[in-house]
Amino acid sequence: MTKIKVEHLQLHFGNHHVLKDINIHIQKNGVTALIGPSGCGKSTFLKCLNRMNDLVDTVRLEGKIYIDGEDIYAPGVDTCVLRKKIGMVFQQPNPFPMSIYDNVAYGPRLHGVKDRKKLDELVEKSLRDAAIFEEVKDRLKKNALGLSGGQQQRLCIARALAVEPQVLLMDEPTSALDPISTLKIEELMEGLKQKYTVVIVTHNMQQAARISDDTAFFLNGEIIEFGSTETLFSQPVKKQTEDYITGRFG
């Protein structure tokens, strides 16, 4: 079942044409990986899905993006509500300089959750969903900046989950992490897709092959090939895809 439908998406930053006629259907409750060399538009595309590019003055966007059939660029769409529905985790862990508990409770409080019992439940559930609760349950009042890099990233995932989104966008969430932390986050993906639709930008071919159901290969602002990860990696249709995944360029 399609969760996100993108039709004829074009994006310019000033005179720079960054995304060119992007068409893609992203399935509900799956992990979709976006791969391709640096500067090919993957992260820019990801940010279109929760309108983060709106924050850039020179941006110009054409085409349609539907989430559950609703046009997210229609006039009157509340971007605060949209970003509650579509969480985002960035490349570098960026916990707030406050307690672990307050990091996770921040979003729900912002959206009006005041009840302490409800907050406690949300914090625990989010930390469990991010596979970090057991590691931090005795130090929830301690500053989040005291956590390791891998723990900080899982805390940021918990923080994104706390507002109960439907979609989780992840922009190279493991590129700053060591192999053990990376593995923990990859294992986490399997559980996350039971509840969320996950879209992840990754430079790591093996990671895309391991964790994703579908893969889109971006090159120079275009989607060259999109399909099931297994097929795309074992029988790519386009020569550019084959060259990229076998390491001939990129």
Side-chain angles (χ1 to χ4, degrees):
M1 182 178 167
T2 299
K3 179 75 177 175
I4 303 170
K5 185 166 75 169
V6 179
E7 294 180 342
H8 304 299
L9 179 68
Q10 310 267 3
L11 183 134
H12 293 78
F13 289 135
N15 294 326
H16 185 33
H17 195 177
V18 183
L19 296 175
K20 303 162 186 170
D21 198 30
I22 302 290
N23 295 278
I24 188 173
H25 287 202
I26 293 171
Q27 295 307 305
K28 186 176 180 179
N29 295 113
V31 176
T32 299
L34 312 179
I35 64 169
S38 293
C40 65
K42 306 180 299 292
S43 294
T44 300
F45 171 71
L46 197 71
K47 289 174 186 165
C48 289
L49 301 179
N50 69 348
R51 293 188 54 172
M52 289 285 282
N53 292 318
D54 288 21
L55 306 171
V56 180
D57 287 343
T58 59
V59 73
R60 194 170 85 252
L61 183 140
E62 297 156 24
K64 299 282 188 188
I65 299 178
Y66 299 97
I67 294 181
D68 292 329
E70 288 182 37
D71 178 359
I72 66 168
Y73 282 88
V77 168
D78 184 332
T79 51
C80 273
V81 174
L82 177 71
R83 290 181 194 135
K84 180 177 184 291
K85 191 174 175 180
I86 305 165
M88 186 147 192
V89 176
F90 297 92
Q91 188 169 353
Q92 293 288 341
N94 58 345
F96 303 136
M98 52 177 72
S99 73
I100 292 168
Y101 183 98
D102 287 338
N103 261 274
V104 185
Y106 185 87
R109 282 177 176 145
L110 204 62
H111 290 284
V113 179
K114 299 277 190 288
D115 182 65
R116 181 69 194 216
K117 186 166 177 288
K118 173 89 166 122
L119 278 173
D120 288 350
E121 286 170 2
L122 267 174
V123 168
E124 180 173 338
K125 177 180 177 295
S126 304
L127 289 168
R128 283 190 187 283
D129 281 355
I132 192 176
F133 181 71
E134 292 302 324
E135 292 166 52
V136 301
K137 63 183 179 187
D138 300 323
R139 49 199 280 214
L140 294 176
K141 295 285 176 274
K142 297 267 172 61
N143 194 308
L145 300 180
L147 297 173
S148 72
Q151 288 174 323
Q152 287 186 12
Q153 191 62 303
R154 281 181 287 144
L155 176 65
C156 292
I157 293 171
R159 190 175 67 195
L161 299 180
V163 294
E164 302 178 309
Q166 298 173 17
V167 177
L168 190 59
L169 308 177
M170 307 180 97
D171 193 357
E172 293 193 60
T174 62
S175 67
L177 304 181
D178 62 84
I180 291 170
S181 300
T182 296
L183 185 63
K184 284 189 172 168
I185 286 178
E186 287 186 6
E187 287 169 349
L188 175 56
M189 299 275 179
E190 194 57 40
L192 288 175
K193 75 176 184 185
Q194 312 301 323
K195 299 179 184 175
Y196 311 97
T197 300
V198 181
V199 188
I200 178 169
V201 168
T202 179
H203 269 117
N204 184 325
M205 294 299 110
Q206 291 77 20
Q207 182 174 75
R210 281 193 298 265
I211 64 168
S212 68
D213 301 290
D214 295 316
T215 296
F217 170 50
F218 278 72
L219 186 63
N220 299 328
E222 298 179 60
I223 292 182
I224 302 298
E225 192 165 342
F226 173 63
S228 91
T229 299
E230 198 178 335
T231 306
L232 190 128
F233 277 89
S234 60
Q235 300 168 306
V237 174
K238 302 282 178 70
K239 184 169 188 317
Q240 294 127 300
T241 313
E242 186 180 350
D243 286 350
Y244 184 69
I245 60 181
T246 56
R248 289 198 194 102
F249 79 90

